[in-house]
Amino acid sequence: MSVDWGSGSVTRKLTKPRSGTVAVLDIGTSKVCCLIARAGRPSPDGTNPIAAQPRVIGAGHQVSRGVRNGTIVDVDATEDAIRKAVHMAEQIAQETISSVTVNLSAGAPQSEILGVDLDIGGQQIDESDLRRIFQQTHTMRDDFAAQSNGNGADRELIHSIPVGFSIDGQQGIADPRGMFGEKLSVNMHLVSASANAVRTIRAAVERCHLEIDGFVLSPYAAGLSTLVEDESDLGVTVVDMGGGTTGISIFYDGEMVFADTIPVGGNHVTSDVARGLSTPITNAERLKTLYGNAIAAESDEHEMLDVPQVGEDEHTAPHQLPRSLLNGIIQPRIEETFELVRARLDNSGFGAYAGRRVVLTGGASQLQGARDLAVRILDKQVRMGRPLRIRGLAEAIAGSAFATGAGLIAHAIENPSSLTMPVPLQYGEPGRLTGRLGQWFREHF
Ligand SMILES: Nc1ncnc2c1ncn2[C@@H]1O[C@H](COP(=O)(O)OP(=O)(O)OP(=O)(O)O)[C@@H](O)[C@H]1O
Ligand SMILES: [Mg+2]
């Protein structure tokens, strides 16, 4: 029953890592991806850190057709893509899966920090105080839910993450056990999302005869797979640029302290190009990835691109248009996206903690010039992030588009301090804790 508050990985572990096989589903706007992975086995003497990393043993991905801006809009089409992705991963892994950890981008996720205080009365703090503090959070979040229900929106809690203890106002305490004090306080980072959006995802996954082990916010997962420990300790902002969403997470002191999602992504760039150049979507996508740049250059004036027009067949000679026209369409959309990110960061109240560093990931971050434009608009150091600390990612799935999927594996195996909600948990019905959260309490308290 050990509670490890050390910073062995990106997040502090409150629970023991899982051994065995885990499966995850990243239901994205552009692709649905299923990964099956086996937990690593740390070498007994710790000399081979690679051995401790999880290994992907099966991967399947499908074009996503039923998802718009991270939200399922067609359950049948989503079910079909999930089935195919899972089938493919199962065939490669030669293993059948029965449950999955699933990403969450939908349901307008909201972050909130809840302060919880506990009277200690000058005693030495021990495990039982931690238990009381988490129980108190449990009660308080019922109130939190009641409040959010007050405005008509039924919300489900996705994560409860302890983000820093203090004793008698003294902050920055990593592990309060063994210390003396009058008052122990902890800030809990609560992330909630629209319960209906969560129900729809659950329905689509369960139609495929898969149970849900838990939901993990997409930008949280992206951070878990792309950040190095120093970044998450010192303060960093992760920007996960997907097809239909741009996810944001801020990590500080080893934990996620803020998350947000903007319903704009790479697909908006593609449709801007298709509209602006009157070219079919597939061709707009091709032009964007091959010739697009988030920063328009003067030399673009002189470079002509072949641009087939909507409605023309392949025998018609394609239009020739200058590259400047393409990049002149792309730049404002990416600028707008980063300006929205900046505004969300400014509003988060975590500007000071977000550090000087940004990690850009997600498929849409691969656009040429995206990093440079991010530097200009966010005024921070920006690096490109791809999945780290995971083995067996074939080249095709090792890129930034698979950061969320890889992070889901990290979460499923490492079982970090976030108390992920596994199954519908009705607020105001204490005692109905099931799945991993219940297990977490049972194991530790
Ligand atoms: N080389 C590239 N250059 C520019 N954009 C790219 C490139 N490769 C992929 N993209 C864009 O990345 C986007 C897809 O990214 P990703 O796979 O991360 O999305 P997703 O996870 O399915 O969607 P979301 O997270 O928004 O629900 C698409 O808009 C695609 O056009
Ligand atoms: Mg994504």
Side-chain angles (χ1 to χ4, degrees):
M1 210 180 77
S2 75
V3 179
D4 175 10
W5 293 94
S7 50
S9 74
V10 163
T11 56
R12 290 185 198 97
K13 280 173 235 151
L14 276 168
T15 46
K16 285 195 211 91
R18 278 196 196 184
S19 53
T21 305
V22 297
V24 304
L25 258 187
D26 176 9
I27 306 172
T29 309
S30 297
K31 46 123 190 20
V32 172
C33 162
C34 173
L35 300 174
I36 303 174
R38 207 158 271 157
R41 287 209 188 130
S43 50
D45 53 2
T47 49
N48 184 3
I50 304 286
Q53 295 179 353
R55 173 194 288 281
V56 174
I57 56 167
H61 52 101
Q62 283 291 315
V63 173
S64 179
R65 298 208 187 279
V67 182
R68 189 175 299 155
N69 296 349
T71 300
I72 294 177
V73 292
D74 181 338
V75 179
D76 288 342
T78 308
E79 176 192 343
D80 186 56
I82 294 172
R83 275 182 193 278
K84 287 180 176 146
V86 168
H87 182 69
M88 198 169 153
E90 284 182 333
Q91 291 227 305
I92 296 169
Q94 297 199 320
E95 230 170 275
T96 310
I97 59 172
S98 57
S99 66
V100 281
T101 296
V102 183
N103 74 307
L104 185 83
S105 310
Q110 264 173 22
S111 259
E112 222 160 299
I113 299 281
L114 187 71
V116 185
D117 295 329
L118 197 69
D119 278 332
I120 302 296
Q123 301 294 305
Q124 191 172 26
I125 297 164
D126 61 18
E127 300 265 340
S128 71
D129 298 308
L130 294 188
R131 178 165 58 230
R132 279 164 61 208
I133 217 156
F134 286 112
Q135 278 163 349
Q136 194 154 328
T137 311
H138 186 208
T139 316
M140 286 175 75
R141 76 180 169 214
D142 286 345
D143 300 342
F144 168 80
Q147 270 171 24
S148 29
N149 285 344
N151 56 28
D154 184 11
R155 294 187 71 79
E156 189 162 323
L157 194 67
I158 307 300
H159 297 294
S160 312
I161 307 172
V163 291
F165 290 92
S166 58
I167 298 173
D168 300 336
Q170 172 69 51
Q171 295 181 344
I173 290 164
D175 184 349
R177 288 174 301 167
M179 301 178 76
F180 290 82
E182 300 298 326
K183 192 176 81 175
L184 172 65
S185 312
V186 63
N187 286 324
M188 295 297 276
H189 177 200
L190 305 182
V191 181
S192 65
S194 142
N196 285 330
V198 174
R199 283 182 199 124
T200 303
I201 303 175
R202 191 173 283 124
V205 174
E206 286 176 353
R207 276 206 209 173
C208 305
H209 306 291
L210 290 168
E211 279 177 37
I212 295 181
D213 292 326
F215 286 102
V216 183
L217 209 69
S218 304
Y220 183 28
L224 292 178
S225 76
T226 58
L227 297 181
V228 298
E229 203 176 315
D230 277 352
E231 287 171 328
S232 64
D233 280 346
L234 297 173
V236 66
T237 303
V238 179
V239 182
D240 175 11
M241 305 175 72
T245 63
T246 298
I248 304 170
S249 57
I250 299 179
F251 284 70
Y252 182 74
D253 233 353
E255 267 305 352
M256 179 176 71
V257 294
F258 174 79
D260 209 341
T261 299
I262 302 168
V264 176
N267 296 355
H268 295 78
V269 179
T270 303
S271 43
D272 288 352
V273 170
R275 273 196 210 103
L277 304 183
S278 297
T279 194
I281 285 280
T282 48
N283 191 60
E285 178 74 15
R286 192 183 69 89
L287 287 171
K288 175 183 85 168
T289 50
L290 288 180
Y291 308 105
N293 199 309
I295 299 179
E298 263 183 39
S299 56
D300 295 348
E301 290 286 341
H302 313 293
E303 194 179 336
M304 301 306 282
L305 304 173
D306 283 349
V307 182
Q309 297 293 287
V310 171
E312 280 177 0
D313 61 34
E314 68 255 36
H315 306 299
T316 325
H319 255 60
Q320 291 232 314
L321 295 171
R323 193 174 173 187
S324 56
L325 212 56
L326 173 70
N327 293 341
I329 293 169
I330 294 175
Q331 179 162 354
R333 179 62 89 166
I334 307 290
E335 258 167 12
E336 183 202 23
T337 307
F338 288 135
E339 276 160 8
L340 287 168
V341 169
R342 189 179 57 196
R344 298 290 175 103
L345 293 177
D346 288 347
N347 284 337
S348 71
F350 279 98
Y353 300 95
R356 300 280 319 130
R357 206 169 170 81
V358 167
V359 171
L360 281 192
T361 192
S365 71
Q366 298 171 91
L367 177 75
Q368 288 176 59
R371 197 194 77 88
D372 293 338
L373 196 60
V375 170
R376 269 192 214 173
I377 295 177
L378 302 175
D379 191 26
K380 290 183 193 286
Q381 290 175 23
V382 181
R383 95 169 160 87
M384 307 303 292
R386 45 172 59 228
L388 306 170
R389 298 177 296 270
I390 187 158
R391 294 175 293 160
L393 282 181
E395 201 178 329
I397 56 164
S400 54
F402 295 88
T404 296
L408 292 174
I409 293 175
H411 195 283
I413 288 175
E414 301 238 330
N415 216 347
S417 54
S418 145
L419 314 182
T420 304
M421 286 296 148
V423 287
L425 177 78
Q426 295 303 312
Y427 290 117
E429 289 185 56
R432 276 203 55 226
L433 292 176
T434 43
R436 197 188 300 167
L437 176 67
Q439 186 191 332
W440 190 89
F441 275 107
R442 274 197 301 280
E443 267 178 25
H444 296 282
F445 300 121

